[in-house]
Amino acid sequence: MLKLVNLTVKYGNFEALHRVNLEVDHGEIVVLLGANGAGKSTTFQTISGLNKPVSGHIMLNGQSIAGKSPDKIVKMGIVQCAEDRKLFQQMTVQENLMLGGYVHRGKKSRLRATLQEVFELFPILYEKRSNPAGSLSGGQQQMLAIGRALMAKPEFMLLDEPSIGLAPLIVEQMFKSIQQINQEGTTILLAEQNANAALSIADKGYVYESGKVVVQGSAEELLANEEVRKAYVGA
Amino acid sequence: MDIFIQQLFNGLTIGSVYSLVALGLTLVYGILHIPNFAHGALYMLGGYVTLTMMVYLGVNYWISILISIITIGILSVLMDRLVFHPLRKSTPIQHKVAAIGMLLFLEALAQLIWGADYRQMPTPYGQVIQFADVTLTVQRLIIVVAAIAVMILLYLFLKKTFMGASILAMAQNREGASLVGINTNKVAVITFFIAGTLAAIGASLTSPINLVFPGMGHLVILKAFVIIIIGGMGSIPGAILGGYILGFSESIGATYISSDYKDIIAFVLLIVILSIKPQGIFAKGGV
Ligand SMILES: Nc1ncnc2c1ncn2[C@@H]1O[C@H](COP(=O)(O)OP(=O)(O)O)[C@@H](O)[C@H]1O
Ligand SMILES: [Mg+2]
């Protein structure tokens, strides 16, 4: 279980997160909703160890991980697929994927098997395996970013707005893939502005507003909530 | 024609050394995102350590080089840990000032220890080989062969090992590297170590045909800087190719134009290449 307890994060004097509480159970898909600047990415950056919290706790299976370095957090099983993807642009698709398995670099045969699984999930990546990451389309780059995260065989995957800037058809495909990854055993924390699509695959969600969680509940509850619908579903 | 071939070989010799130094500079650029001017001081100290081992302690040439490689590698790592790492949150200009400060400091230190004299490093490989009408010394042949061997090893390390890939990854996307579980501090240490060893190898190989003195790093680092601009900042093939382009231009230029102007060639080349390809030969990205 991944749990945030009263997590507060600042950039200089600006408080980007204020006492955020959040719980992700094994096997779930949990959605973070909120407008631009609400604090979703900051939550992810802090879980991943790229930001240090001012106060509060981040608990992974009962152990505090706040303040640990990013590479340790990946080793502990939390991998983030960042908003701007952070790919290695001049490396090939396959090189990017192999680096995704960096924490398992001692187990070559296992890495090859995981690589096959990623290629099965995203066949286009197999076709483009020798192309530089920078030459892929936006949707393909997003698949590569997710594939690279999968290579670490994470227990928890943090997906930051995977649908951003993608064509509707690709978005639909992306959400199907996310659901499939979840069914194969990875717990997913998903930040999205596309509330409808996200809630349709999620178990529960949290709604952020200027650094605070203002509404939380099951996917059904959030979809039925008038305010949430008005603000994020566009209905 | 024979003169031409002779000069090609000389260009290959000088170019090999330039490439080694530029490779170190370009690797460290991937970590710091500024050219580390103090790299020139590492080159100079690499020459002095080998010289000292051979002349004062009577150690064999190759063992002297090995000691120099290890010493300069460690010094390079210390430079990162003691100076650049603590500055990591500050602006690029502060990095540059720190780098120049270290260059000046290490030069003054060398002058204090070894004096300001120009010294000749002895070599056990002074023999001359006559090859049709081309003459070459064994030392020059060793420079070329050793440098190319080192570059091949470096290439294999970067391309075929996870540790090498982590260096390239950090250069291309630092946060991306963190997010796949790479320890960026470890990578910085390894990169600085390798850069230091490359500088020491370059200096130790070339010192028997040049001279060792406190300011010997100046021109070399300026030229290596030109090379990585020509080759594209941070580009590995660019550093190698750029080194050889400069080596050839200088030796051909020295013969057919005037050897007095040979050190200007680097800068003329810089202007010409940048006016044709402003991002360098191996420019990255779509810009
Ligand atoms: N590196 C940063 N430095 C300063 N302020 C930041 C930084 N990153 C984000 N912020 C601010 O923190 C707030 C939350 O941003 P973010 O977590 O990126 O929101 P979201 O991902 O929900 O769009 C915003 O007001 C944003 O401007
Ligand atoms: Mg965001």
Side-chain angles (χ1 to χ4, degrees), chain A residues 35-42 83 160-161 164 191 193:
Chain A
N36 253 334
K40 305 179 297 294
S41 298
T42 301
E83 196 167 10
D160 200 349
E161 304 207 29
I164 203 161
Q193 302 202 36

Side-chain angles (χ1 to χ4, degrees), chain A residues 71 86 88 90-91 98 105, chain B residues 162 169 172-173 175 180-181:
Chain A
D71 57 298
K86 303 198 192 301
F88 309 120
Q90 288 99 41
M91 292 191 199
M98 288 310 279
R105 61 194 176 284
Chain B
F162 265 103
Q172 291 182 24
N173 196 318
E175 286 203 335
V180 298

Side-chain angles (χ1 to χ4, degrees), chain A residues 56-152:
Chain A
H57 302 283
I58 304 171
M59 308 297 289
L60 173 66
N61 302 327
Q63 196 186 347
S64 169
I65 60 164
K68 285 205 192 307
S69 63
D71 57 298
K72 293 231 172 64
I73 287 169
V74 175
K75 279 192 202 98
M76 296 178 84
I78 304 179
V79 172
Q80 182 187 166
C81 194
E83 196 167 10
D84 53 359
R85 301 172 190 136
K86 303 198 192 301
L87 296 172
F88 309 120
Q89 298 282 337
Q90 288 99 41
M91 292 191 199
T92 66
V93 166
Q94 183 151 341
E95 285 168 338
N96 268 274
L97 290 173
M98 288 310 279
L99 272 168
Y102 184 82
V103 291
H104 304 301
R105 61 194 176 284
K107 305 161 223 158
K108 294 270 151 63
S109 60
R110 187 180 146 180
L111 271 184
R112 267 193 295 276
T114 318
L115 185 65
Q116 286 318 310
E117 288 169 34
V118 171
F119 283 151
E120 273 160 38
L121 183 68
F122 299 119
I124 187 75
L125 295 184
Y126 179 74
E127 268 171 54
K128 304 255 174 182
R129 65 189 179 283
S130 307
N131 295 26
S135 72
L136 303 185
S137 71
Q140 292 163 355
Q141 291 203 14
Q142 189 60 53
M143 289 177 204
L144 178 55
I146 295 177
R148 189 179 71 177
L150 270 179
M151 288 296 293

Side-chain angles (χ1 to χ4, degrees), chain B residues 21-45:
Chain B
V21 180
L23 270 172
L25 197 63
T26 221
L27 283 175
V28 163
Y29 180 84
I31 306 280
L32 292 180
H33 298 288
I34 61 134
N36 178 16
F37 294 107
H39 198 67
L42 295 176
Y43 173 84
M44 176 267 300
L45 289 172

